[in-house]
Every structure is written in structure tokens, then in C-alpha cells.
Amino acid sequence: MNTHSFAFSFLKKPVVTICLSLFCIATANAQAVPQDDHIYQGLGQKEGLSKIVDSFVSELLADQRIAHYFSKMDRHHFTQLLNDQFCELAGGPCKYKGKDMSDAHEGMGIGNAQFNAVAEDLQIAMEKNGVSTSISNQIVAKLAPMQRPIVTQ
Ligand code: HEM
């Protein structure tokens, strides 16, 4: 063994140990945040979602039970926010940056009947765009916790 290889064998173990540790930490971290995007895939990713949201907003505006709430809406802005919100909820690669649901609907006097009408319109929009019942039910289930902050009467 020459001087060089002696020095190297001396270093080898700790280097291997450090590398393995770093690898373990990296993979452990990767495993800690599994990204389940099956709902996002089921909605047809960004393109499918965009069609669903367009249909959804059209349904809202045509729904006599709730259309009056949206008379002053900025459709482009609202559509953008819904795309991001649903994408994030579905496990897709987006971040919703709008208001939280309580602030967004404050003072609107929304009841359970209106909330259910909106959920129904979303289901109709998904059905019209060929989303499976299973995926449709899963995304609607993700909206359920929003009932509390949105419904104020
Ligand atoms: C799960 C149900 C609902 C979801 C996910 C939802 C989502 C949203 C989002 C993301 C915004 C935009 C927030 C922002 O401006 O930063 C918004 C605004 C709004 N929402 Fe909802 N909402 C829901 C239920 C309702 C209901 C039941 C009504 C009334 C019937 C309603 C009426 C409105 C109106 C009028 C706006 C303001 C639109 C504008 O002027 O741009 N929402 N909602």
C-alpha cells in the first residue's frame, strides 16, 4: 500500500458513511411528502381543470338560485383563483394565493342551500367534462370543510 492509497482507505469509511447518511436523509425526506395527485390526474390536469372551471362558472351564472351573488364578479380573476384552488386541493402543482374562504365570503349571507347549489353546479360541470363519479365525489369531499367558513346563516 503506497502513502496515497493508505490515506484514501483511512478516509473511505467516513466518506461512505456520510454519503449514505445524506442519501438516507434525502430519501427519508422525499418519502415524508408523498404527492398524491390522482384527483388532479382524474380531472385531466391543468387543461381538463381549466375546462371544468369554465363550465362551473357558466353553471353558477345560469343557476337562478345563486346567479345574483355573482353579478359583479370579475370572471377572469375568479376563474384564475378557482383553477389554482382546485388544482392545489386535487394534489396538483399549484398554489392558491387568494383570500381564505372566510374572508372571501364575509358578509354575503350564504346559507346551506346556496352552498349546496354551488357544490351541485360543480358536480354538473365535472359530469359534462367526463370526470368519473369517483373523482367527482373525492373533490367535492375536499370542499366539505369549507362549508363552515363560507356558510354564515
Ligand atoms: C365550496 C364552495 C366554494 C368555493 C370553493 C368558493 C371559492 C371561492 C374563491 C376561490 C373565491 C375568490 C376569493 C378571492 O377573491 O381571493 C370566491 C369568491 C366568491 N364566492 Fe365563493 N366559493 C364557494 C362557495 C360560494 C357560495 C356558496 C357562494 C354564493 C352562493 C359564493 C360566492 C362567491 C362570490 C360572489 C365571490 C366573489 C367573486 C368576485 O367578485 O370575484 N361562493 N369563492
Side-chain angles (χ1 to χ4, degrees):
M1 193 183 284
N2 59 30
T3 347
H4 183 255
S5 61
F6 173 74
F8 186 67
S9 73
F10 189 71
L11 274 171
K12 224 151 104 186
K13 264 197 170 165
V15 168
V16 169
T17 313
I18 290 165
C19 286
L20 277 175
S21 309
L22 288 174
F23 178 73
C24 288
I25 291 166
T27 50
N29 279 342
Q31 282 165 3
V33 279
Q35 187 66 5
D36 177 2
D37 69 348
H38 79 278
I39 303 178
Y40 179 66
Q41 298 299 335
L43 294 172
Q45 303 177 6
K46 225 176 180 67
E47 210 186 331
L49 192 51
S50 169
K51 288 180 185 154
I52 294 164
V53 170
D54 283 347
S55 302
F56 176 44
V57 175
S58 297
E59 291 298 327
L60 293 175
L61 295 174
D63 187 338
Q64 291 313 304
R65 298 171 293 180
I66 49 174
H68 57 282
Y69 281 94
F70 299 95
S71 57
K72 289 183 195 135
M73 158 185 76
D74 172 349
R75 185 168 180 157
H76 178 74
H77 183 65
F78 185 54
T79 299
Q80 201 63 51
L81 288 168
L82 285 177
N83 267 291
D84 284 345
Q85 189 187 37
F86 291 162
C87 170
E88 187 177 346
L89 274 178
C94 318
K95 184 92 194 98
Y96 170 67
K97 297 193 184 95
K99 295 177 187 165
D100 70 43
M101 290 297 93
S102 177
D103 288 346
H105 302 91
E106 194 183 6
M108 289 188 193
I110 297 171
N112 283 321
Q114 287 81 33
F115 185 89
N116 292 336
V118 167
E120 209 178 293
D121 289 339
L122 176 61
Q123 277 170 310
I124 292 168
M126 286 191 280
E127 204 181 318
K128 282 188 175 172
N129 285 278
V131 174
S132 73
T133 312
S134 162
I135 292 292
S136 172
N137 289 342
Q138 289 177 62
I139 194 80
V140 169
K142 296 229 174 235
L143 299 182
M146 296 179 186
Q147 188 151 4
R148 230 174 207 288
I150 292 175
V151 171
T152 49
Q153 72 172 27

